[in-house]
Amino acid sequence: MYGDKPPATVDSTVGFLGGGHSEIRSPAVDVVLDGNARLSWGAIRVTADFQRNFAGYRMSGEVPFLKLQMPDGKGAVEVGAMTLTGDQKRLFEDYPRLYIGPADFTVASVAVSAPGKPPIMVKQLHIGVDSVDRNGFLDVTEHFGAQSVAAGPQVFGPAELDLALRHLEARSLAELDRQYLKLATTQNAFEPGKVPNPAIFAPLAQPAKAILEGSPEFDIDKLEVKLPQGTVSGKMAVRLPNANVGDLQNAAANPLVLMGLMASLEADGQVAVPEPLVLSMAGPQRAGMFDQLIAAGYVTRTNDMLSTTFKYSSAGLLVNGKRLNPAALARPQATP
């Protein structure tokens, strides 16, 4: 693909105290593949400033474009400018694999075309991750977003999804990663077609137990997608406050040891969906089901929007503030 050009050139400067700067460059490519498909991308450039012993780094990179054109008009994939940035530091001096801080990846556009199929176009795709140390516990957040997504005449967006893992015991997380890496490199645990011996996972049990008993939390902080029928939105939180996990080493052989998790599990959330979208997906035969849910108080209808909330704990499940009663929903409604 590169011909007589070097695939990569790296220039690095290392300071007397250990830190430094690196710049990586890779030339543009435009090549005809077997079958007359054509692949091309722009010149790649990545720069990084790093601290002594790589205790932290700041980097940025960019690719102007990437194109794949199939022969005889059979389709194409075109990706616009891609950028990657990061500004992270090592959390523990004695463990080099766990870094915290922000990193972001953006793509200006993605276009896919194929004969006989509607073209697909995604604009302003963004993926971001950030992690913060809060007194020995990690909060990790991820953001996924797109300005718009079009499939033929159908267009939706903006679309956003924010996820989070919170209150993860950091030392145990590092130990879990250390033991998993050791397992993956020394044990034939993941050979396709073979069931691994549960005993080899025993070293993972103690750090996993510490994480689960440290009151971790999984959140969907934001879900919002704009559609032609309206905006779908929601959020959710799942918590394990003060869980009693039990002996995780025996969990594979006896899943009942995890009952302590279910006893501690708490969850709550809310969702709102445009009624025209729900009815189009459910079909006319199920349309009356939503009137039944509204009459029972489990769903609220406001300005062509259907919304509900839920809350789960050891005390049971509440939907829209009402205790769920499946038997009542199963009874046929009287015809007015």
Side-chain angles (χ1 to χ4, degrees), residues 21 207 239 271:
H21 173 84
R239 297 173 292 272
V271 63

Side-chain angles (χ1 to χ4, degrees), residues 149-151 153-158 225-232 274 276-277 305:
V149 179
Q154 298 294 322
V155 181
F156 67 88
V225 183
K226 186 176 181 181
L227 302 171
Q229 300 90 339
T231 300
V232 176
L277 175 65
M305 292 292 294

Side-chain angles (χ1 to χ4, degrees), residues 74-86:
K74 294 180 179 179
V77 177
E78 298 188 19
V79 182
M82 293 169 278
T83 63
L84 175 66
T85 62

Side-chain angles (χ1 to χ4, degrees), residues 103-123:
D104 289 274
F105 176 66
T106 64
V107 180
S109 61
V110 179
V112 181
S113 61
K117 297 182 179 180
I120 297 174
M121 170 65 78
V122 181
K123 293 183 179 180

Side-chain angles (χ1 to χ4, degrees), residues 117-190:
K117 297 182 179 180
I120 297 174
M121 170 65 78
V122 181
K123 293 183 179 180
Q124 296 299 325
L125 177 66
H126 174 231
I127 301 173
V129 61
D130 195 5
S131 49
V132 180
D133 177 26
R134 301 190 188 281
N135 299 318
F137 290 86
L138 286 187
D139 287 355
V140 183
T141 56
E142 295 185 3
H143 170 79
F144 303 87
Q147 184 184 75
S148 65
V149 179
Q154 298 294 322
V155 181
F156 67 88
E160 292 185 272
L161 175 63
D162 293 339
L163 305 177
L165 283 168
R166 294 189 169 97
H167 212 258
L168 304 176
E169 210 281 314
R171 271 292 178 186
S172 297
L173 188 64
E175 181 62 19
L176 185 67
D177 181 70
R178 189 198 311 268
Q179 293 297 337
Y180 177 81
L181 181 64
K182 182 178 179 181
L183 175 65
T185 55
T186 62
Q187 298 280 355
N188 194 16
F190 308 105

Side-chain angles (χ1 to χ4, degrees), residues 8-9 17 44 68 85 93 114 130 132 184 191 195 219 239 250 270 286 319:
T9 301
L17 299 180
I44 301 170
L68 174 61
T85 62
E93 187 174 334
D130 195 5
V132 180
E191 185 175 347
V195 179
D219 298 317
R239 297 173 292 272
N250 296 323
Q270 61 187 57
R286 297 185 179 90
V319 178

Side-chain angles (χ1 to χ4, degrees), residues 59-76:
M59 63 87 67
S60 64
E62 58 185 24
V63 182
F65 69 90
L66 184 150
K67 295 181 181 180
L68 174 61
Q69 295 174 306
M70 304 304 294
D72 303 322
K74 294 180 179 179

